[in-house]
Amino acid sequence: MRYATVTLSWTDGAVHPVDDIFAHEDAVTVEAIHYVSPGPTGQYVELLELRGDLDRAATLLDETPDALASDVTGTDDHGVAYVQCRSAGLVDDLLGTLHDYEIVVDWPIHYFDDGDVRGLHLTVIGTDRAIQQAVSNLPPVIGFTLERIGEYRPDTGVLADLLTDRQHEVFNLAVRAGYYEVPRQTTHRELAAELDLAAGTVSEHLQRIEAKLAQAYLRQQ
């Protein structure tokens, strides 16, 4: 059994209505998709992790005709949204590809929005053949980048199975440079200069690394 950590990206239009709702809203962002399930014909259900103004998120969902039902809950600026929504074509295509080739998603899926490019970071599980066939049948408007692939070992907590090669590089440098010391010995800007990256990119990498490590810790409790 194999796993593949991949990035799916797109530039034109929305992959599904919920993506389009929050893509143009500065007050709230989608951090992760914790589950997606097909519903009745032409519908699907999502559980989303949100960051920002949760009241604004609830209002946007209430005002969107494609969101048939929704509920937002959380504290301060961090929460979750249950959304029952009309399917857009690409959502059906992506879910259909996973179903057709018996691919399992290792939830959650992490969402990113870089302005011109939006997309998802996710890990899928299956046989080599199934993963290769699924990739070859992705919708043509979806960009694909393979981040990491290997033998799947569930809930081992092994760092090598949690992080991409780039995340390993960022994390190792952060630890060596004293980013996690108290008091902190370095900054995002200093790490970025060493890695030849933007400071915001380093910050995003560290947030994703910390989220993965926290989730692995909780699964072992």
Side-chain angles (χ1 to χ4, degrees), residues 90 138-143:
L90 286 178
L138 286 172
V141 296
I142 299 293

PDB file of all heavy atoms in Angstrom, residues 90 138-143:
ATOM      1  N   LEU A  90     -16.372  20.228 -11.533  1.00  0.00           N
ATOM      2  CA  LEU A  90     -15.060  19.719 -11.168  1.00  0.00           C
ATOM      3  C   LEU A  90     -15.071  18.963  -9.854  1.00  0.00           C
ATOM      4  O   LEU A  90     -14.283  18.046  -9.657  1.00  0.00           O
ATOM      5  CB  LEU A  90     -14.049  20.865 -11.110  1.00  0.00           C
ATOM      6  CG  LEU A  90     -13.609  21.406 -12.473  1.00  0.00           C
ATOM      7  CD1 LEU A  90     -12.655  22.574 -12.311  1.00  0.00           C
ATOM      8  CD2 LEU A  90     -12.947  20.304 -13.300  1.00  0.00           C
ATOM      9  N   LEU A 138      -7.047  13.118 -13.966  1.00  0.00           N
ATOM     10  CA  LEU A 138      -7.496  14.371 -13.368  1.00  0.00           C
ATOM     11  C   LEU A 138      -8.019  15.310 -14.452  1.00  0.00           C
ATOM     12  O   LEU A 138      -7.554  15.274 -15.594  1.00  0.00           O
ATOM     13  CB  LEU A 138      -6.341  15.044 -12.632  1.00  0.00           C
ATOM     14  CG  LEU A 138      -5.902  14.429 -11.303  1.00  0.00           C
ATOM     15  CD1 LEU A 138      -4.622  15.099 -10.818  1.00  0.00           C
ATOM     16  CD2 LEU A 138      -7.002  14.555 -10.252  1.00  0.00           C
ATOM     17  N   PRO A 139      -8.988  16.167 -14.124  1.00  0.00           N
ATOM     18  CA  PRO A 139      -9.453  17.156 -15.113  1.00  0.00           C
ATOM     19  C   PRO A 139      -8.280  17.982 -15.629  1.00  0.00           C
ATOM     20  O   PRO A 139      -7.385  18.361 -14.861  1.00  0.00           O
ATOM     21  CB  PRO A 139     -10.428  18.019 -14.303  1.00  0.00           C
ATOM     22  CG  PRO A 139     -10.895  17.124 -13.195  1.00  0.00           C
ATOM     23  CD  PRO A 139      -9.726  16.250 -12.850  1.00  0.00           C
ATOM     24  N   PRO A 140      -8.240  18.282 -16.912  1.00  0.00           N
ATOM     25  CA  PRO A 140      -7.079  18.960 -17.501  1.00  0.00           C
ATOM     26  C   PRO A 140      -6.814  20.348 -16.936  1.00  0.00           C
ATOM     27  O   PRO A 140      -5.685  20.848 -17.026  1.00  0.00           O
ATOM     28  CB  PRO A 140      -7.417  19.025 -18.996  1.00  0.00           C
ATOM     29  CG  PRO A 140      -8.889  18.789 -19.081  1.00  0.00           C
ATOM     30  CD  PRO A 140      -9.255  17.932 -17.930  1.00  0.00           C
ATOM     31  N   VAL A 141      -7.814  21.010 -16.343  1.00  0.00           N
ATOM     32  CA  VAL A 141      -7.598  22.358 -15.804  1.00  0.00           C
ATOM     33  C   VAL A 141      -6.981  22.313 -14.409  1.00  0.00           C
ATOM     34  O   VAL A 141      -6.662  23.365 -13.841  1.00  0.00           O
ATOM     35  CB  VAL A 141      -8.916  23.156 -15.757  1.00  0.00           C
ATOM     36  CG1 VAL A 141      -9.458  23.368 -17.154  1.00  0.00           C
ATOM     37  CG2 VAL A 141      -9.942  22.485 -14.861  1.00  0.00           C
ATOM     38  N   ILE A 142      -6.802  21.123 -13.842  1.00  0.00           N
ATOM     39  CA  ILE A 142      -6.214  20.976 -12.519  1.00  0.00           C
ATOM     40  C   ILE A 142      -4.714  20.725 -12.657  1.00  0.00           C
ATOM     41  O   ILE A 142      -4.297  19.755 -13.285  1.00  0.00           O
ATOM     42  CB  ILE A 142      -6.863  19.822 -11.737  1.00  0.00           C
ATOM     43  CG1 ILE A 142      -8.355  20.076 -11.549  1.00  0.00           C
ATOM     44  CG2 ILE A 142      -6.172  19.634 -10.383  1.00  0.00           C
ATOM     45  CD1 ILE A 142      -8.683  21.240 -10.662  1.00  0.00           C
ATOM     46  N   GLY A 143      -3.898  21.623 -12.079  1.00  0.00           N
ATOM     47  CA  GLY A 143      -2.464  21.402 -12.050  1.00  0.00           C
ATOM     48  C   GLY A 143      -2.103  20.370 -10.996  1.00  0.00           C
ATOM     49  O   GLY A 143      -2.753  20.280  -9.952  1.00  0.00           O
TER      50      GLY A 143
END
